[in-house]
PDB file of all heavy atoms in Angstrom:
ATOM      1  N   ASP J 166       0.837  -1.202   0.000  1.00 98.00           N
ATOM      2  CA  ASP J 166       0.000   0.000   0.000  1.00 98.00           C
ATOM      3  C   ASP J 166       0.868   1.246   0.000  1.00 98.00           C
ATOM      4  O   ASP J 166       0.653   2.180  -0.795  1.00 98.00           O
ATOM      5  CB  ASP J 166      -0.911  -0.032   1.225  1.00 98.00           C
ATOM      6  CG  ASP J 166      -1.947   1.083   1.227  1.00 98.00           C
ATOM      7  OD1 ASP J 166      -2.153   1.707   0.175  1.00 98.00           O
ATOM      8  OD2 ASP J 166      -2.544   1.331   2.277  1.00 98.00           O
ATOM      9  N   ARG J 167       1.865   1.292   0.857  1.00 97.00           N
ATOM     10  CA  ARG J 167       2.737   2.473   0.927  1.00 97.00           C
ATOM     11  C   ARG J 167       3.509   2.676  -0.374  1.00 97.00           C
ATOM     12  O   ARG J 167       3.644   3.814  -0.853  1.00 97.00           O
ATOM     13  CB  ARG J 167       3.713   2.331   2.088  1.00 97.00           C
ATOM     14  CG  ARG J 167       3.066   2.373   3.471  1.00 97.00           C
ATOM     15  CD  ARG J 167       4.109   2.505   4.562  1.00 97.00           C
ATOM     16  NE  ARG J 167       5.029   1.374   4.585  1.00 97.00           N
ATOM     17  CZ  ARG J 167       4.828   0.249   5.264  1.00 97.00           C
ATOM     18  NH1 ARG J 167       3.714   0.096   5.966  1.00 97.00           N
ATOM     19  NH2 ARG J 167       5.714  -0.733   5.249  1.00 97.00           N
ATOM     20  N   GLU J 168       3.998   1.599  -0.961  1.00 97.00           N
ATOM     21  CA  GLU J 168       4.832   1.743  -2.157  1.00 97.00           C
ATOM     22  C   GLU J 168       4.006   2.090  -3.394  1.00 97.00           C
ATOM     23  O   GLU J 168       4.467   2.844  -4.259  1.00 97.00           O
ATOM     24  CB  GLU J 168       5.662   0.478  -2.357  1.00 97.00           C
ATOM     25  CG  GLU J 168       6.696   0.305  -1.242  1.00 97.00           C
ATOM     26  CD  GLU J 168       7.588  -0.905  -1.410  1.00 97.00           C
ATOM     27  OE1 GLU J 168       7.897  -1.250  -2.572  1.00 97.00           O
ATOM     28  OE2 GLU J 168       7.978  -1.504  -0.389  1.00 97.00           O
ATOM     29  N   THR J 169       2.788   1.589  -3.496  1.00 98.00           N
ATOM     30  CA  THR J 169       1.947   1.996  -4.626  1.00 98.00           C
ATOM     31  C   THR J 169       1.525   3.458  -4.485  1.00 98.00           C
ATOM     32  O   THR J 169       1.393   4.170  -5.491  1.00 98.00           O
ATOM     33  CB  THR J 169       0.705   1.101  -4.743  1.00 98.00           C
ATOM     34  OG1 THR J 169      -0.002   1.098  -3.497  1.00 98.00           O
ATOM     35  CG2 THR J 169       1.092  -0.319  -5.114  1.00 98.00           C
ATOM     36  N   THR J 170       1.329   3.909  -3.258  1.00 97.00           N
ATOM     37  CA  THR J 170       0.998   5.324  -3.050  1.00 97.00           C
ATOM     38  C   THR J 170       2.142   6.210  -3.518  1.00 97.00           C
ATOM     39  O   THR J 170       1.919   7.305  -4.058  1.00 97.00           O
ATOM     40  CB  THR J 170       0.688   5.587  -1.566  1.00 97.00           C
ATOM     41  OG1 THR J 170      -0.434   4.792  -1.174  1.00 97.00           O
ATOM     42  CG2 THR J 170       0.371   7.053  -1.322  1.00 97.00           C
ATOM     43  N   GLY J 171       3.366   5.760  -3.365  1.00 96.00           N
ATOM     44  CA  GLY J 171       4.508   6.528  -3.843  1.00 96.00           C
ATOM     45  C   GLY J 171       4.630   6.543  -5.353  1.00 96.00           C
ATOM     46  O   GLY J 171       5.288   7.428  -5.906  1.00 96.00           O
ATOM     47  N   ARG J 172       4.006   5.604  -6.034  1.00 97.00           N
ATOM     48  CA  ARG J 172       4.088   5.523  -7.496  1.00 97.00           C
ATOM     49  C   ARG J 172       2.900   6.213  -8.174  1.00 97.00           C
ATOM     50  O   ARG J 172       3.094   6.954  -9.127  1.00 97.00           O
ATOM     51  CB  ARG J 172       4.159   4.055  -7.935  1.00 97.00           C
ATOM     52  CG  ARG J 172       5.455   3.377  -7.505  1.00 97.00           C
ATOM     53  CD  ARG J 172       5.452   1.881  -7.750  1.00 97.00           C
ATOM     54  NE  ARG J 172       6.708   1.298  -7.323  1.00 97.00           N
ATOM     55  CZ  ARG J 172       7.577   0.689  -8.133  1.00 97.00           C
ATOM     56  NH1 ARG J 172       7.305   0.556  -9.424  1.00 97.00           N
ATOM     57  NH2 ARG J 172       8.706   0.203  -7.661  1.00 97.00           N
ATOM     58  N   GLY J 173       1.700   5.913  -7.744  1.00 97.00           N
ATOM     59  CA  GLY J 173       0.518   6.598  -8.263  1.00 97.00           C
ATOM     60  C   GLY J 173      -0.048   6.027  -9.536  1.00 97.00           C
ATOM     61  O   GLY J 173      -1.250   5.796  -9.642  1.00 97.00           O
ATOM     62  N   VAL J 174       0.803   5.819 -10.550  1.00 97.00           N
ATOM     63  CA  VAL J 174       0.367   5.284 -11.835  1.00 97.00           C
ATOM     64  C   VAL J 174       1.465   4.394 -12.402  1.00 97.00           C
ATOM     65  O   VAL J 174       2.624   4.473 -11.988  1.00 97.00           O
ATOM     66  CB  VAL J 174       0.052   6.397 -12.868  1.00 97.00           C
ATOM     67  CG1 VAL J 174      -1.100   7.274 -12.415  1.00 97.00           C
ATOM     68  CG2 VAL J 174       1.292   7.231 -13.163  1.00 97.00           C
ATOM     69  N   THR J 175       1.082   3.553 -13.344  1.00 96.00           N
ATOM     70  CA  THR J 175       2.068   2.817 -14.127  1.00 96.00           C
ATOM     71  C   THR J 175       2.652   3.755 -15.178  1.00 96.00           C
ATOM     72  O   THR J 175       1.916   4.493 -15.841  1.00 96.00           O
ATOM     73  CB  THR J 175       1.418   1.605 -14.816  1.00 96.00           C
ATOM     74  OG1 THR J 175       1.024   0.656 -13.818  1.00 96.00           O
ATOM     75  CG2 THR J 175       2.381   0.928 -15.778  1.00 96.00           C
ATOM     76  N   LEU J 176       3.979   3.731 -15.319  1.00 94.00           N
ATOM     77  CA  LEU J 176       4.662   4.527 -16.336  1.00 94.00           C
ATOM     78  C   LEU J 176       5.012   3.614 -17.501  1.00 94.00           C
ATOM     79  O   LEU J 176       5.610   2.546 -17.302  1.00 94.00           O
ATOM     80  CB  LEU J 176       5.933   5.157 -15.762  1.00 94.00           C
ATOM     81  CG  LEU J 176       5.751   6.110 -14.582  1.00 94.00           C
ATOM     82  CD1 LEU J 176       7.114   6.542 -14.042  1.00 94.00           C
ATOM     83  CD2 LEU J 176       4.945   7.325 -14.989  1.00 94.00           C
ATOM     84  N   TYR J 177       4.662   4.025 -18.706  1.00 89.00           N
ATOM     85  CA  TYR J 177       4.924   3.223 -19.894  1.00 89.00           C
ATOM     86  C   TYR J 177       6.032   3.851 -20.722  1.00 89.00           C
ATOM     87  O   TYR J 177       5.958   5.021 -21.092  1.00 89.00           O
ATOM     88  CB  TYR J 177       3.650   3.079 -20.735  1.00 89.00           C
ATOM     89  CG  TYR J 177       2.586   2.252 -20.063  1.00 89.00           C
ATOM     90  CD1 TYR J 177       1.618   2.857 -19.265  1.00 89.00           C
ATOM     91  CD2 TYR J 177       2.554   0.874 -20.212  1.00 89.00           C
ATOM     92  CE1 TYR J 177       0.643   2.087 -18.627  1.00 89.00           C
ATOM     93  CE2 TYR J 177       1.581   0.102 -19.585  1.00 89.00           C
ATOM     94  CZ  TYR J 177       0.630   0.721 -18.798  1.00 89.00           C
ATOM     95  OH  TYR J 177      -0.324  -0.022 -18.175  1.00 89.00           O
ATOM     96  N   LEU J 178       7.075   3.078 -20.996  1.00 90.00           N
ATOM     97  CA  LEU J 178       8.159   3.492 -21.864  1.00 90.00           C
ATOM     98  C   LEU J 178       8.275   2.494 -23.004  1.00 90.00           C
ATOM     99  O   LEU J 178       7.811   1.344 -22.876  1.00 90.00           O
ATOM    100  CB  LEU J 178       9.487   3.579 -21.101  1.00 90.00           C
ATOM    101  CG  LEU J 178       9.643   4.792 -20.186  1.00 90.00           C
ATOM    102  CD1 LEU J 178       9.011   4.527 -18.827  1.00 90.00           C
ATOM    103  CD2 LEU J 178      11.116   5.153 -20.001  1.00 90.00           C
ATOM    104  N   PRO J 179       8.904   2.867 -24.128  1.00 89.00           N
ATOM    105  CA  PRO J 179       8.975   1.947 -25.258  1.00 89.00           C
ATOM    106  C   PRO J 179       9.680   0.634 -24.941  1.00 89.00           C
ATOM    107  O   PRO J 179       9.360  -0.399 -25.518  1.00 89.00           O
ATOM    108  CB  PRO J 179       9.750   2.754 -26.312  1.00 89.00           C
ATOM    109  CG  PRO J 179       9.512   4.176 -25.959  1.00 89.00           C
ATOM    110  CD  PRO J 179       9.450   4.196 -24.467  1.00 89.00           C
ATOM    111  N   ASP J 180      10.658   0.665 -24.032  1.00 87.00           N
ATOM    112  CA  ASP J 180      11.426  -0.543 -23.731  1.00 87.00           C
ATOM    113  C   ASP J 180      10.986  -1.220 -22.448  1.00 87.00           C
ATOM    114  O   ASP J 180      11.701  -2.060 -21.888  1.00 87.00           O
ATOM    115  CB  ASP J 180      12.918  -0.217 -23.655  1.00 87.00           C
ATOM    116  CG  ASP J 180      13.243   0.820 -22.590  1.00 87.00           C
ATOM    117  OD1 ASP J 180      12.297   1.431 -22.050  1.00 87.00           O
ATOM    118  OD2 ASP J 180      14.439   1.009 -22.305  1.00 87.00           O
ATOM    119  N   GLY J 181       9.813  -0.881 -21.939  1.00 87.00           N
ATOM    120  CA  GLY J 181       9.305  -1.529 -20.738  1.00 87.00           C
ATOM    121  C   GLY J 181       8.467  -0.580 -19.907  1.00 87.00           C
ATOM    122  O   GLY J 181       8.416   0.613 -20.174  1.00 87.00           O
ATOM    123  N   ARG J 182       7.851  -1.109 -18.880  1.00 90.00           N
ATOM    124  CA  ARG J 182       6.989  -0.297 -18.039  1.00 90.00           C
ATOM    125  C   ARG J 182       7.528  -0.253 -16.617  1.00 90.00           C
ATOM    126  O   ARG J 182       8.277  -1.136 -16.181  1.00 90.00           O
ATOM    127  CB  ARG J 182       5.570  -0.841 -18.044  1.00 90.00           C
ATOM    128  CG  ARG J 182       5.416  -2.185 -17.384  1.00 90.00           C
ATOM    129  CD  ARG J 182       4.066  -2.805 -17.673  1.00 90.00           C
ATOM    130  NE  ARG J 182       3.929  -3.144 -19.080  1.00 90.00           N
ATOM    131  CZ  ARG J 182       2.852  -3.669 -19.617  1.00 90.00           C
ATOM    132  NH1 ARG J 182       1.793  -3.901 -18.882  1.00 90.00           N
ATOM    133  NH2 ARG J 182       2.799  -3.952 -20.899  1.00 90.00           N
ATOM    134  N   ILE J 183       7.136   0.778 -15.894  1.00 94.00           N
ATOM    135  CA  ILE J 183       7.439   0.900 -14.475  1.00 94.00           C
ATOM    136  C   ILE J 183       6.089   0.755 -13.780  1.00 94.00           C
ATOM    137  O   ILE J 183       5.306   1.706 -13.717  1.00 94.00           O
ATOM    138  CB  ILE J 183       8.097   2.252 -14.155  1.00 94.00           C
ATOM    139  CG1 ILE J 183       9.363   2.420 -15.004  1.00 94.00           C
ATOM    140  CG2 ILE J 183       8.439   2.352 -12.668  1.00 94.00           C
ATOM    141  CD1 ILE J 183       9.953   3.816 -14.950  1.00 94.00           C
ATOM    142  N   PRO J 184       5.775  -0.429 -13.290  1.00 96.00           N
ATOM    143  CA  PRO J 184       4.400  -0.723 -12.884  1.00 96.00           C
ATOM    144  C   PRO J 184       4.011  -0.097 -11.555  1.00 96.00           C
ATOM    145  O   PRO J 184       4.846   0.117 -10.671  1.00 96.00           O
ATOM    146  CB  PRO J 184       4.388  -2.244 -12.806  1.00 96.00           C
ATOM    147  CG  PRO J 184       5.790  -2.603 -12.426  1.00 96.00           C
ATOM    148  CD  PRO J 184       6.662  -1.591 -13.138  1.00 96.00           C
ATOM    149  N   LEU J 185       2.722   0.154 -11.424  1.00 97.00           N
ATOM    150  CA  LEU J 185       2.168   0.601 -10.150  1.00 97.00           C
ATOM    151  C   LEU J 185       2.207  -0.532  -9.131  1.00 97.00           C
ATOM    152  O   LEU J 185       2.476  -0.308  -7.950  1.00 97.00           O
ATOM    153  CB  LEU J 185       0.728   1.080 -10.357  1.00 97.00           C
ATOM    154  CG  LEU J 185      -0.095   1.440  -9.117  1.00 97.00           C
ATOM    155  CD1 LEU J 185       0.562   2.578  -8.341  1.00 97.00           C
ATOM    156  CD2 LEU J 185      -1.514   1.820  -9.514  1.00 97.00           C
ATOM    157  N   HIS J 186       1.945  -1.757  -9.593  1.00 98.00           N
ATOM    158  CA  HIS J 186       1.963  -2.936  -8.731  1.00 98.00           C
ATOM    159  C   HIS J 186       2.992  -3.940  -9.264  1.00 98.00           C
ATOM    160  O   HIS J 186       3.254  -3.971 -10.467  1.00 98.00           O
ATOM    161  CB  HIS J 186       0.581  -3.613  -8.699  1.00 98.00           C
ATOM    162  CG  HIS J 186      -0.504  -2.749  -8.168  1.00 98.00           C
ATOM    163  ND1 HIS J 186      -1.287  -1.957  -8.986  1.00 98.00           N
ATOM    164  CD2 HIS J 186      -0.951  -2.543  -6.900  1.00 98.00           C
ATOM    165  CE1 HIS J 186      -2.171  -1.308  -8.244  1.00 98.00           C
ATOM    166  NE2 HIS J 186      -1.989  -1.627  -6.976  1.00 98.00           N
ATOM    167  N   PRO J 187       3.557  -4.771  -8.419  1.00 98.00           N
ATOM    168  CA  PRO J 187       4.499  -5.786  -8.901  1.00 98.00           C
ATOM    169  C   PRO J 187       3.864  -6.660  -9.980  1.00 98.00           C
ATOM    170  O   PRO J 187       2.666  -6.983  -9.904  1.00 98.00           O
ATOM    171  CB  PRO J 187       4.804  -6.603  -7.637  1.00 98.00           C
ATOM    172  CG  PRO J 187       4.541  -5.670  -6.500  1.00 98.00           C
ATOM    173  CD  PRO J 187       3.380  -4.820  -6.949  1.00 98.00           C
ATOM    174  N   PRO J 188       4.625  -7.054 -10.997  1.00 97.00           N
ATOM    175  CA  PRO J 188       4.064  -7.866 -12.082  1.00 97.00           C
ATOM    176  C   PRO J 188       3.410  -9.163 -11.616  1.00 97.00           C
ATOM    177  O   PRO J 188       2.468  -9.630 -12.253  1.00 97.00           O
ATOM    178  CB  PRO J 188       5.286  -8.154 -12.968  1.00 97.00           C
ATOM    179  CG  PRO J 188       6.175  -6.957 -12.745  1.00 97.00           C
ATOM    180  CD  PRO J 188       6.006  -6.610 -11.296  1.00 97.00           C
ATOM    181  N   VAL J 189       3.887  -9.747 -10.509  1.00 97.00           N
ATOM    182  CA  VAL J 189       3.247 -10.964 -10.010  1.00 97.00           C
ATOM    183  C   VAL J 189       1.772 -10.720  -9.709  1.00 97.00           C
ATOM    184  O   VAL J 189       0.947 -11.638  -9.787  1.00 97.00           O
ATOM    185  CB  VAL J 189       3.987 -11.489  -8.748  1.00 97.00           C
ATOM    186  CG1 VAL J 189       3.805 -10.534  -7.568  1.00 97.00           C
ATOM    187  CG2 VAL J 189       3.522 -12.888  -8.393  1.00 97.00           C
ATOM    188  N   LEU J 190       1.440  -9.471  -9.442  1.00 97.00           N
ATOM    189  CA  LEU J 190       0.053  -9.086  -9.176  1.00 97.00           C
ATOM    190  C   LEU J 190      -0.600  -8.494 -10.413  1.00 97.00           C
ATOM    191  O   LEU J 190      -1.643  -8.964 -10.872  1.00 97.00           O
ATOM    192  CB  LEU J 190       0.012  -8.081  -8.029  1.00 97.00           C
ATOM    193  CG  LEU J 190      -1.357  -7.573  -7.562  1.00 97.00           C
ATOM    194  CD1 LEU J 190      -2.192  -8.726  -7.060  1.00 97.00           C
ATOM    195  CD2 LEU J 190      -1.176  -6.524  -6.477  1.00 97.00           C
ATOM    196  N   SER J 191       0.044  -7.452 -10.991  1.00 97.00           N
ATOM    197  CA  SER J 191      -0.585  -6.706 -12.082  1.00 97.00           C
ATOM    198  C   SER J 191      -0.646  -7.494 -13.381  1.00 97.00           C
ATOM    199  O   SER J 191      -1.526  -7.252 -14.215  1.00 97.00           O
ATOM    200  CB  SER J 191       0.169  -5.392 -12.326  1.00 97.00           C
ATOM    201  OG  SER J 191       1.509  -5.630 -12.683  1.00 97.00           O
ATOM    202  N   GLU J 192       0.270  -8.441 -13.581  1.00 97.00           N
ATOM    203  CA  GLU J 192       0.255  -9.259 -14.790  1.00 97.00           C
ATOM    204  C   GLU J 192      -0.025 -10.717 -14.462  1.00 97.00           C
ATOM    205  O   GLU J 192       0.105 -11.584 -15.323  1.00 97.00           O
ATOM    206  CB  GLU J 192       1.590  -9.131 -15.520  1.00 97.00           C
ATOM    207  CG  GLU J 192       1.908  -7.698 -15.950  1.00 97.00           C
ATOM    208  CD  GLU J 192       3.244  -7.565 -16.643  1.00 97.00           C
ATOM    209  OE1 GLU J 192       3.748  -8.590 -17.157  1.00 97.00           O
ATOM    210  OE2 GLU J 192       3.784  -6.452 -16.705  1.00 97.00           O
ATOM    211  N   GLY J 193      -0.375 -10.958 -13.197  1.00 97.00           N
ATOM    212  CA  GLY J 193      -0.616 -12.325 -12.758  1.00 97.00           C
ATOM    213  C   GLY J 193      -1.904 -12.470 -11.988  1.00 97.00           C
ATOM    214  O   GLY J 193      -2.998 -12.471 -12.556  1.00 97.00           O
ATOM    215  N   ALA J 194      -1.807 -12.548 -10.670  1.00 97.00           N
ATOM    216  CA  ALA J 194      -2.936 -12.965  -9.838  1.00 97.00           C
ATOM    217  C   ALA J 194      -4.146 -12.050  -9.908  1.00 97.00           C
ATOM    218  O   ALA J 194      -5.279 -12.501  -9.724  1.00 97.00           O
ATOM    219  CB  ALA J 194      -2.472 -13.099  -8.386  1.00 97.00           C
TER     220      ALA J 194
END
């Protein structure tokens, strides 16, 4: 909760993304 609050949004770049949530969650469960 604290770390997602520090990020706010997922950042998208051409060579990858900086996710709001860890990929195990955002691209998985």
Side-chain angles (χ1 to χ4, degrees):
D166 187 15
R167 293 191 298 272
E168 293 182 34
T169 55
T170 299
R172 293 172 180 243
V174 297
T175 293
L176 299 174
Y177 292 92
L178 285 85
D180 59 350
R182 67 192 67 182
I183 303 170
L185 173 60
H186 299 92
V189 68
L190 182 61
S191 60
E192 300 179 21

